[in-house]
Amino acid sequence: MQEIPKGANVSLTALSEDAGAVVVSLGWSSASGAGDADVSVLLLDENGKVRDENDFYFYNNPAAADGSVQLLGKVPTDNGDEDRISVDLTAVPEGVARIVVAASRYAGARFGDLDDLRMTVADRSGEPLVGYSIDDAGVETAFIFGELYRRGEEWKFRAVGQGYETGLAGLATDFGIPVLEDSEGPEEAEAAEEAELAGEGRPAEATAPAEPAQDPAAAVAAAEAPGAVPAAAPLAGPAAEAAHAEAAAPGAVPAQTRGRSPRTTRKKVTLPKVAKKSLAENESWSPARLFPVPSLKSDREREVRATSVLLSVMAQVPEFGRRLTAGFGAPAGRMQTFTEVSLPHGDTPRRPDGVIRVERAGKLWTALVETKTNGNPLKAEQVQAYMDIAARRGYEAVITLSNDVALEGRPMVEVKVDGRRKHKVSLWHLSWAEVAHQAQMLIRHEGVGNAAHAWLLQELLEYLRHEQSGCHGFQNMGAAWVPVRKGIEDETLGLGDARTVEVVESWERLIRQVCLRLGGELGQKALPVQRARRGSDPQARRVTAADRLCADGKLSAELRVDGTSSVIAVSADLRTSKVRTSVDVPTPEGAYPLVMVKRLLKLLDGAPADLHVESLLAAAPGTGPGAGPGSGPRGTLERLRPEPGDLLPADGSAVVGFRLSLLKGMGSTRGNTESGFIRSVDDAVERFYQGVVAQLGPVEGRGGRRG
């Protein structure tokens, strides 16, 4: 990969012959793990202005109808997460001369508070072409990272690195997007939003929003509004009272459990959250399904059926097919899928489980698909054969699909690549959990083109969730789980035991799957938090975590829902067999302590009675700049409700926040059964988010998005 300084430019065609479609990545890290920013893309004409408002792509308008731009969202990396954007340069309209890639922060946060600001551009095979770092960010609240621009018949990349203290509003104004004044308020958007929220709990047929709501100008104005609520706000002011009132209202859904549909200029269809009443006489009546599964007897049958079901839906629902393949370098075009295709390979032809072909402007993009179900592992020999076939036949990719979850920088199978071959073949992996997540995001939150497409995705989800499908995602902690757990219980596990690293890797995969499931329910990305600086060795980090597991018997992780700054901590104590989930809620400065406690308890009116609440006290003088808050009085919600004053320290120490924690019994077996460890962690996180975090109401005031 070529590194360039700020202000430099480079030809993408000179760097790769496969630069017709690129994936742009914006990354940053945060010491607190909660730093975040919103990515946006602007298509500009020769005059440096957007042609119309549809040339502005952001979280409420994530994809172009022609497939030229698609925001892929955040993906976890070894050092945190990064935002990725798929840009099909062959599909960009002729009138577009420049593609600007930018990001903005909200609630008064600045880019100077983030570390390791970086942008990279990769070709369709995933090979990084060019990158650069920004090391001079300060008070800016919006930043242009870089731009792709035409020069004759080729596309070039320029490292811009220009910041705006005026935030998204200043950036948008520069490129011809009108910005509403704060006092005006986008009334049409609010009306459409209220109509949407009012109808969410109503049993109905597949519904489409009646009007396109928030336009870019409204989104910019809302994002820049001075009244945006920071993370500390749940305990103070009218916003807290409103959040509680909404959460307590009969039949209302807590704000953070409602996934807002990304608004676009086109009507989108989603399925109702509450199904219509069944006409069956009793529960033994099974509804007819498009993709039946009970007759499946063998793993081979499951693999064949699962591949056929998935690929057929991808071809019939363009949004879904594009969503799954855009990050793999596939262009935006007509997709056709095939199963059980026989391809020559030496003396014995090979039959990959599936083939995906996309046609764009007379050119073909082809990927071979290898599928596994249940706990069956991918076989290196099979994948290697498909990589060789793809290279010889000029195909672009091989996609593996299984229940396992890939770790960044850690291939699912080891394959050899012949460097002498001019044609490059990229190897990608999808988990069945990721497939289910993307389907749920489309039909529950973002919407698809018509009701038939929504129904197809719903049938796909029903198939994947069936106990006989074998497509349930990560479901086995591995052979090392039981001996490590018993070694911790017996205190016979020693430092440096290689099995502990295996358990840590399985734990990392589990947390990534938990994030997928939680994000699918909420309609927003949920991501694991890494507090490591970019460039640190992920394997060294796992070894350190394995040593901590040996020392204290705990597996720990943190996760964050996109658009919020609250970090949820998850800890599994193998000695006590308990799973702890917790979140810290900061308090506003200058508030009366007892009033803060009462407001907190009022917000938690619907939370479980066994919720543990602990006061966090200001660090003692002389403890150093990195010292965290001290522990204060604590108790369960049931005990504190009649006596809120018990949460205040007797010596009058300053309370800087509260820690809310729930404990749940930990499953012991390595699988995903009712008594399994995986199920217990998944249930613990879901119970904590829905029962506690959602009760706190909106955490952030980011424009155009609630929850």
Side-chain angles (χ1 to χ4, degrees), residues 373-648:
T373 56
N374 282 333
N376 297 315
L378 293 161
K379 297 178 180 178
E381 181 269 335
Q382 278 185 316
V383 178
Q384 182 70 65
Y386 297 143
M387 291 288 288
D388 294 340
I389 292 172
R392 287 198 306 270
R393 301 180 69 86
Y395 298 162
E396 284 71 25
V398 172
I399 300 172
T400 58
L401 183 60
S402 73
N403 281 318
D404 211 345
V405 178
L407 300 181
E408 189 74 14
R410 197 73 185 275
M412 295 301 303
V413 290
E414 295 287 347
V415 296
K416 296 179 180 179
V417 178
D418 189 346
R420 296 170 298 177
R421 284 194 173 122
K422 186 176 180 180
H423 181 75
K424 292 186 300 183
V425 179
S426 54
L427 178 61
W428 305 96
H429 180 73
L430 265 178
S431 74
W432 285 112
E434 174 72 14
V435 172
H437 167 80
Q438 297 295 356
Q440 188 170 17
M441 289 291 289
L442 283 170
I443 63 173
R444 295 297 180 193
H445 308 290
E446 299 177 13
V448 290
N450 58 56
H453 289 172
W455 175 71
L456 277 173
L457 287 176
Q458 179 62 40
E459 289 298 300
L460 171 64
L461 272 178
E462 291 292 339
Y463 177 88
L464 297 179
R465 290 168 176 168
H466 194 283
E467 60 183 7
Q468 292 294 326
S469 72
C471 306
H472 305 128
F474 181 72
Q475 54 186 349
N476 195 316
M477 289 294 290
W481 169 251
V482 172
V484 167
R485 178 176 58 79
K486 289 184 176 179
I488 289 174
E489 292 175 354
D490 302 338
E491 299 185 8
T492 58
L493 193 67
L495 286 174
D497 192 320
R499 294 174 300 181
T500 59
V501 178
E502 294 179 34
V503 170
V504 167
E505 290 176 347
S506 295
W507 169 252
E508 192 173 334
R509 291 186 172 97
L510 171 57
I511 292 300
R512 294 195 176 192
Q513 178 165 285
V514 167
C515 288
L516 286 173
R517 290 180 176 170
L518 180 62
E521 291 295 327
L522 301 177
Q524 302 191 60
K525 283 277 188 178
L527 297 158
V529 173
Q530 296 290 355
R531 300 180 186 269
R533 290 188 66 86
R534 192 173 303 277
S536 60
D537 183 7
Q539 193 59 26
R541 189 185 71 237
R542 293 180 185 118
V543 171
T544 301
D547 290 343
R548 287 199 303 267
L549 174 61
C550 290
D552 59 23
K554 293 180 181 179
L555 292 165
S556 300
E558 294 177 315
L559 58 93
R560 175 178 55 82
V561 176
D562 187 21
T564 75
S565 58
S566 295
V567 174
I568 299 174
V570 185
S571 175
D573 192 328
L574 276 64
R575 289 176 175 167
T576 63
S577 295
K578 296 288 186 182
V579 177
R580 176 186 292 270
T581 45
S582 62
V583 67
D584 289 355
V585 182
T587 60
E589 296 182 5
Y592 291 105
L594 186 58
V595 174
M596 289 189 300
V597 174
K598 289 182 177 180
R599 281 179 174 165
L600 174 65
L601 297 182
K602 187 176 181 182
L603 284 171
L604 296 172
D605 184 59
D610 59 343
L611 177 69
H612 289 242
V613 185
E614 175 187 357
S615 296
L616 301 178
L617 309 181
T623 54
S631 297
R634 67 187 70 186
T636 62
L637 202 57
E638 183 178 33
R639 184 175 69 81
L640 292 171
R641 277 171 176 153
E643 297 293 340
D646 289 352
L647 207 52
L648 300 177

Side-chain angles (χ1 to χ4, degrees), residues 352-369:
D353 292 312
V355 178
I356 302 172
R357 304 204 89 173
V358 181
E359 181 188 38
R360 176 81 192 186
K363 295 182 179 180
L364 288 174
W365 179 91
T366 306
L368 304 181
V369 180

